[in-house]
């Protein structure tokens, strides 16, 4: 199945600061063409800081800001660890305390002694939402306004992880997976990082 090329008004790259998203940042920065696929240059690169990531993740983001010519910015929705353990301050949009979900992947015990993963939504609340909020701001929209521009998100998933590919749940965002389009695997990403002179990355 051939990929249908489409022009977008605004493109942003979602940075996790691990191996794949670091390679994606490098490939987009340099405009590499690999296996017939040319990596697009994003208007902005956005890293969602959960304030609970290991120190090397934040150091990697700083290193990328120094290395890359792309506009790399950090956004946050708060402290994931503290909010999970103690609850978010204030009330949600229904006027109720933030207590419906835990946000970290927390396990509980069933009556029979088996483990079960409690309901959570950390990816949406602490990664996707703050990034999309910043995109709205950059496009000049306030909350609730209908976005007219065609917008795409570049996501760092490599070929062996293609089962993780999903369409965006946000109507005005199209998810794209350049590393998959270029048929790249994790070891290819490490090579791209090294050849581009980018700081080496660990698993995020």
């Amino acid at each position: 199945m051939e990929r249908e090329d489409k022009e977008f008004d605004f493109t942003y790259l979602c940075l996790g600061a691990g191996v794949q998203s670091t390679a994606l940042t490098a490939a987009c920065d340099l405009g590499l063409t690999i296996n017939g696929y040319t990596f697009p240059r994003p208007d902005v690169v956005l890293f969602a800081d959960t304030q609970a990531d290991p120190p090397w993740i934040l150091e990697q983001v700083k290193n990328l800001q120094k290395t890359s010519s792309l506009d790399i910015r950090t956004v946050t929705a708060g402290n994931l660890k503290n909010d999970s353990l103690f609850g978010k301050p204030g009330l949600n949009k229904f006027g109720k305390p933030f207590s419906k979900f835990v946000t970290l992947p927390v396990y509980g015990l069933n009556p029979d002694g088996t483990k079960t993963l409690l309901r959570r939504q950390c990816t949406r609340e602490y990664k996707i939402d703050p990034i999309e909020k910043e995109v709205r701001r950059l496009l000049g929209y306030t909350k609730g306004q209908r976005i007219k521009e065609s917008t795409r998100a570049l996501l760092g998933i490599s070929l062996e992880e293609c089962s993780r590919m999903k369409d965006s749940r946000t109507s005005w965002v199209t998810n794209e997976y350049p590393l998959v389009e270029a048929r790249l695997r994790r070891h290819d990403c490490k090579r791209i990082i090294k050849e581009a002179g980018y700081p080496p990355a660990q698993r995020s």
Side-chain angles (χ1 to χ4, degrees):
M1 183 177 179
E2 290 189 4
R3 174 177 173 272
E4 181 181 355
D5 287 321
K6 178 182 176 181
E7 293 294 328
F8 289 87
D9 298 315
F10 191 85
T11 297
Y12 63 97
L13 189 156
C14 298
L15 178 66
V19 173
Q20 279 87 341
S21 66
T22 295
L24 177 58
T25 301
C28 290
D29 184 16
L30 300 175
L32 300 181
T33 298
I34 301 174
N35 294 329
Y37 177 84
T38 300
F39 285 81
R41 187 174 183 86
D43 296 286
V44 68
V45 177
L46 296 173
F47 169 72
D49 182 8
T50 67
Q51 300 181 40
D53 290 310
W56 72 261
I57 287 281
L58 302 181
E59 188 63 30
Q60 179 71 354
V61 173
K62 291 179 182 178
N63 290 336
L64 291 176
Q65 289 172 326
K66 295 175 184 177
T67 305
S68 177
S69 69
L70 298 175
D71 180 8
I72 301 176
R73 305 184 184 193
T74 296
V75 296
T76 187
N79 189 305
L80 172 59
K81 180 180 177 181
N82 288 346
D83 292 350
S84 294
L85 294 176
F86 308 112
K88 294 173 68 174
L91 303 176
N92 61 24
K93 62 182 178 181
F94 304 108
K96 303 292 184 181
F98 287 100
S99 60
K100 185 175 181 181
F101 293 93
V102 292
T103 46
L104 290 168
V106 176
Y107 288 87
L109 286 177
N110 291 316
D112 62 1
T114 58
K115 289 194 300 185
T116 183
L117 183 62
L118 302 180
R119 294 179 71 191
R120 64 189 181 98
Q121 53 185 26
C122 61
T123 299
R124 183 83 221 177
E125 286 191 2
Y126 290 84
K127 292 287 187 179
I128 299 173
D129 286 352
I131 285 176
E132 290 185 355
K133 181 179 180 181
E134 177 65 7
V135 172
R136 275 186 169 277
R137 189 190 70 80
L138 292 171
L139 290 173
Y141 292 89
T142 58
K143 184 177 181 180
Q145 284 188 303
R146 182 176 176 272
I147 292 180
K148 300 177 181 179
E149 287 84 356
S150 58
T151 306
R152 66 175 162 180
L154 306 180
L155 300 166
I157 288 178
S158 52
L159 191 58
E160 70 273 26
E161 303 175 317
C162 62
S163 62
R164 294 175 54 206
M165 295 169 59
K166 296 178 182 178
D167 291 335
S168 173
R169 289 167 49 190
T170 303
S171 61
W172 48 272
V173 176
T174 298
N175 286 348
E176 288 196 358
Y177 300 88
L179 299 176
V180 175
E181 294 282 356
R183 316 301 293 175
L184 298 176
R185 297 182 179 273
R186 182 179 172 84
H187 66 271
D188 299 311
C189 292
K190 290 183 176 180
R191 174 178 51 80
I192 289 171
I193 292 169
K194 183 177 180 180
E195 292 178 354
Y198 264 52
Q202 302 179 49
R203 187 182 298 274
S204 64

